[in-house]
Amino acid sequence: MLFSRRLMLGLAMAGSLAGALTFPAMAEGPTEIDLFFPVPVDGKLARDMGTLIKEFNEGHPNIKATAVYTGSYDDTLIKTRAAIKAGKPPSAVIMSANFLLDMQIENELTNLDPLIAADGTTKEQFLGQFFPALQGNAVINRSVYGVPFHNSTPLLYINADKAKEAGLDPSKPPQTWAELTDWAKKLTKREGDKVTQWGIAIPCAYDYCGWMMETLTMSNGGRYYNEEFGGEVYYDTPSMLGALSWWNDLVYKHKVHAPGATPGPAVSTSFISGNAAMMMLSTGSLTYVRDNAKFAYKVAFIPRNVRNAVPIGGASLIVPAGLEADKQKAAWTLIKWMTSPEKSGWWSRATGYFAPNMAAYKTPDMVDFLNKNPDAKTAVEQLDVAKPWFATYKTVPVRKNLEDEVMLVLNGKKQPKEALAAAQKAADETLKPYNAETSLKLP
């Protein structure tokens, strides 16, 4: 069933793509295209998107793009798949970078190689615009399926004022888990049994929770998944057990992290209000923090236990399968414009995501911005230790297999070892059909 559907969709894609390269659009009016976009972090991203698309339309009278808000990353995947199934795919989508592998397996993506070649550019030249750390989530089986647009790494945010009050030097942020635990203890305030200020807050809700677990596991020397094959995850391992045990200890042993699974927006609200003195959150929230914090703050690398390492986050621009030729051509024009150095830099300054196009950092506007806001450099500097984001067959269900168990731990209903064994068992079941079709299928 899996491969029959792939074959049918693949033939449809090939036909559509051939048309795109052979026959130019003949419509009399502008080609109308939709761009699905999620809003996964705090801030005014939806308004910024409206500004961006308005400028594109003014400069491209032959194309009329409409930005369509589609909710979270997970919501956007669901809506895109529903549109493809209905035969009315959007022309472009800002898709969570780690969903591309699963979509490619299901033949829901347009292979961008022919479009790149039609521009007279090689894949190497095209990808060479972007930071190398981002290419692992954009390239599948040596073909380009996504174009990095807004990307992130997790960061450690510190309320510098509260750090100084506690006798800590915010210019020398914690480098290790041990140091972070010590800082969190000194920054936690209590009145009797009531906590009035938490030392650290880490988000755990669907999507964010898996990203945080990958962050902590990588910092603990481990791997979350098989980067070369979409059928394996490594949940029941010593490195992930150590990561979840440390998170659990922050809550129930040291009592410096609020119990329960806290969504990302609640974590940023807690930090902005002064209820939490430190937080781990995406650089995509940096502009929101900069605009709303009434105190001095610092951002720093994610502390390590074994090594400095973080996963890439954020999203890539994709072209879904099944598009009409003129819409595919217009979508490619939009994608190239949105990921140009100038627009990539503008979007970074507006949102807090780092700019994936390296040339963005050489533009005068970006140079001036970084001189005034050096905190925006941290995520870029952290790219030296960044690795691809978890991606497998059935990425969302496999991720939720882990997230459901982590939430039980943070709610005090399970111990880490028991939870990770259950997560591994559930994920193996989810991945079983793909493994039966690939790694377990013998000649």
Side-chain angles (χ1 to χ4, degrees):
M1 177 68 76
L2 181 66
F3 292 128
S4 295
R5 182 167 45 171
R6 280 192 220 170
L7 178 60
M8 293 176 65
L9 283 169
L11 292 172
M13 288 169 58
S16 176
L17 189 55
L21 298 177
T22 305
F23 304 108
M26 299 299 290
E28 294 181 357
T31 302
E32 297 189 7
I33 59 173
D34 288 338
L35 168 69
F36 279 13
F37 77 97
V39 178
V41 296
D42 308 288
K44 51 185 178 53
L45 190 148
R47 190 175 69 190
D48 295 330
M49 181 57 70
T51 301
L52 196 69
I53 294 303
K54 181 174 183 291
E55 183 181 346
F56 173 80
N57 285 335
E58 290 173 349
H60 298 80
N62 293 329
I63 301 172
K64 182 182 179 182
T66 301
V68 180
Y69 169 63
T70 45
S72 66
Y73 281 151
D74 288 4
D75 294 337
T76 298
L77 177 63
I78 292 169
K79 292 175 181 176
T80 300
R81 284 183 153 161
I84 293 172
K85 189 174 182 180
K88 298 180 179 179
S91 299
V93 184
I94 299 175
M95 184 66 70
S96 184
N98 67 330
F99 293 169
L100 272 59
L101 175 63
D102 188 29
M103 296 188 74
Q104 191 271 341
I105 289 172
E106 298 292 356
N107 272 326
E108 296 168 324
L109 293 180
T110 294
N111 183 328
L112 303 178
D113 290 357
L115 291 166
I116 294 170
D119 286 338
T121 308
T122 66
K123 285 184 288 184
E124 291 73 20
Q125 289 171 331
F126 180 78
L127 290 171
Q129 304 173 78
F130 306 104
F131 285 105
L134 306 177
Q135 297 177 18
N137 285 121
V139 178
I140 302 169
N141 296 334
R142 293 187 291 180
S143 287
V144 181
Y145 283 91
V147 183
F149 174 59
H150 68 198
N151 293 98
S152 59
T153 66
L155 296 174
L156 177 65
Y157 291 76
I158 301 169
N159 185 320
D161 290 345
K162 291 185 180 296
K164 290 178 181 177
E165 290 173 9
L168 301 165
D169 184 353
S171 69
K172 298 177 181 178
Q175 303 287 310
T176 66
W177 287 6
E179 292 174 5
L180 180 63
T181 303
D182 183 57
W183 273 54
K185 289 178 179 177
K186 292 176 179 176
L187 288 166
T188 299
K189 293 182 178 179
R190 294 183 173 83
E191 292 179 1
D193 294 333
K194 181 181 178 182
V195 175
T196 59
Q197 178 180 296
W198 294 103
I200 179 74
I202 304 173
C204 182
Y206 285 140
D207 194 18
Y208 234 134
C209 198
W211 198 47
M212 285 292 112
M213 277 305 300
E214 184 174 6
T215 299
L216 298 179
T217 299
M218 291 171 69
S219 302
N220 203 27
R223 298 164 66 197
Y224 190 106
Y225 72 111
N226 185 338
E227 298 87 349
E228 305 297 330
F229 172 64
E232 293 177 347
V233 291
Y234 308 130
Y235 293 163
D236 192 11
T237 57
S239 54
M240 191 168 287
L241 177 60
L244 185 54
S245 297
W246 179 67
W247 197 351
N248 185 54
D249 284 351
L250 292 176
V251 178
Y252 293 106
K253 180 180 178 181
H254 305 302
K255 301 184 187 304
V256 297
H257 180 301
T262 309
V267 166
S268 57
T269 298
S270 181
F271 183 73
I272 293 295
S273 69
N275 190 44
M278 296 186 292
M279 66 173 179
M280 289 186 187
L281 213 63
S282 167
T283 190
S285 294
L286 183 54
T287 297
Y288 174 76
V289 171
R290 186 184 299 131
D291 291 346
N292 291 280
K294 305 301 182 186
F295 50 83
Y297 69 90
K298 292 283 186 181
V299 294
F301 278 25
I302 294 294
R304 67 182 181 278
N305 188 39
V306 172
R307 62 176 179 177
N308 287 114
V310 292
I312 289 297
S316 298
L317 279 156
I318 64 158
V319 179
L323 274 179
E324 298 167 2
D326 58 336
K327 291 182 181 292
Q328 190 179 92
K329 185 177 179 181
W332 186 236
T333 299
L334 173 64
I335 288 173
K336 289 187 291 184
W337 183 85
M338 290 177 68
T339 56
S340 65
E342 293 75 18
K343 299 311 159 194
S344 187
W346 183 88
W347 186 253
S348 174
R349 295 190 295 276
T351 63
Y353 287 101
F354 68 82
N357 192 317
M358 293 184 287
Y361 291 92
K362 296 179 181 178
T363 61
D365 285 344
M366 197 59 137
V367 170
D368 181 59
F369 176 77
L370 290 176
N371 286 335
K372 295 175 181 174
N373 301 281
D375 54 1
K377 298 177 183 176
T378 304
V380 178
E381 293 167 348
Q382 202 171 213
L383 287 177
D384 288 342
V385 297
K387 299 180 184 302
W389 192 1
F390 145 72
T392 65
Y393 170 73
K394 300 291 184 188
T395 298
V396 173
V398 171
R399 192 198 71 217
K400 287 183 175 179
N401 290 148
L402 176 68
E403 290 171 327
D404 286 337
E405 295 295 328
V406 173
M407 290 180 195
L408 290 173
V409 171
L410 297 178
N411 282 304
K413 296 179 179 178
K414 268 192 177 182
Q415 290 301 306
K417 188 172 182 59
E418 174 192 10
L420 293 179
Q424 185 70 59
K425 182 179 180 181
D428 289 344
E429 284 296 315
T430 306
L431 293 167
K432 186 180 290 185
Y434 183 67
N435 280 310
E437 292 267 13
T438 54
S439 59
L440 298 178
K441 187 175 183 179
L442 302 178

